[in-house]
């Protein structure tokens, strides 16, 4: 299995996890249900079960199409539209495929981090609505872990593409 396929497999597993969570908890959820929470994690906004289901599935659909679509569409984007440091070097014909594969793989990791965030927030929301918790249990931790993951992925991209290529190679 290629490295790019690994990131796609993780993405699909996390998408499936989100769908399983929704499918498992949805029949047991109250109507209406808490759908918005204050800074302290206590519910302060509600919506109907049907609206919540529509919202959750739409959110998952949009993000899945965005990340998977970008992964496949990336190779069709004209080089002139790709904003990348040292673009001429990284997207030269001999490096283009490897560069785009690296970017596509990292896009899927960004998507996977986002789906992991959704899965955890859905789970916390369902626990509150089922009376298993009085408030969101660790929303700040969830957000911090997500931001660390995103910044780590950005750092990898910056390190890889931000370094100046050897001038002898680029000529």
């Amino acid at each position: 299995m290629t490295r790019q396929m690994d990131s796609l497999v993780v993405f699909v597993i996390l998408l499936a996890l989100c769908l399983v969570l929704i499918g498992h908890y949805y029949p047991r959820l109250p109507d209406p249900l808490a759908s918005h929470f204050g800074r302290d994690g206590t519910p302060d906004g509600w919506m109907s079960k049907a609206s919540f289901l529509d919202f959750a599935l739409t959110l998952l659909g949009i993000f899945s199409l965005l990340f998977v679509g970008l992964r496949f569409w990336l190779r069709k984007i004209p080089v002139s539209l790709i904003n990348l440091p040292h673009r001429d070097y990284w997207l030269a014909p001999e490096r283009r495929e490897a560069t785009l594969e690296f970017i596509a793989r990292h896009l899927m990791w960004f998507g996977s981090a986002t789906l992991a965030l959704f899965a955890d927030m859905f789970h916390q929301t369902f626990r509150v609505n089922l009376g298993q918790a009085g408030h969101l249990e660790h929303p700040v931790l969830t957000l911090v872990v997500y931001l660390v993951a995103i910044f780590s992925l950005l750092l990898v991209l910056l390190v890889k593409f931000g370094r100046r290529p050897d001038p002898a190679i680029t000529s």
Side-chain angles (χ1 to χ4, degrees), residues 39-57:
R39 287 184 187 200
D40 62 352
T42 58
D44 65 4
W46 289 261
M47 66 173 42
S48 71
K49 270 175 70 167
S51 293
F52 184 84
L53 179 65
D54 290 344
F55 170 76
L57 294 178

Side-chain angles (χ1 to χ4, degrees), residues 4 74-75 82-107 157 160-161 163:
Q4 186 168 336
L74 187 61
R75 285 170 174 72
I82 298 176
N83 187 7
L84 191 65
H86 316 293
R87 175 178 57 200
D88 293 338
Y89 173 80
W90 291 110
L91 295 174
E94 63 274 15
R95 283 178 288 282
R96 180 180 168 91
E97 187 58 33
T99 297
L100 293 178
E101 181 181 331
F102 188 88
I103 293 169
R105 185 171 59 251
H106 278 75
L107 279 172
L157 289 171
K160 168 114 175 133
F161 297 115
R163 64 188 156 123

Side-chain angles (χ1 to χ4, degrees), residues 66-124:
L66 175 71
F67 285 108
V68 173
L70 279 172
R71 176 184 181 270
F72 289 107
W73 190 59
L74 187 61
R75 285 170 174 72
K76 298 181 184 339
I77 298 174
V79 170
S80 62
L81 295 179
I82 298 176
N83 187 7
L84 191 65
H86 316 293
R87 175 178 57 200
D88 293 338
Y89 173 80
W90 291 110
L91 295 174
E94 63 274 15
R95 283 178 288 282
R96 180 180 168 91
E97 187 58 33
T99 297
L100 293 178
E101 181 181 331
F102 188 88
I103 293 169
R105 185 171 59 251
H106 278 75
L107 279 172
M108 294 311 300
W109 287 121
F110 277 102
S112 294
T114 302
L115 288 176
L117 170 74
F118 292 163
D120 188 53
M121 292 310 297
F122 286 156
H123 187 253
Q124 289 186 64

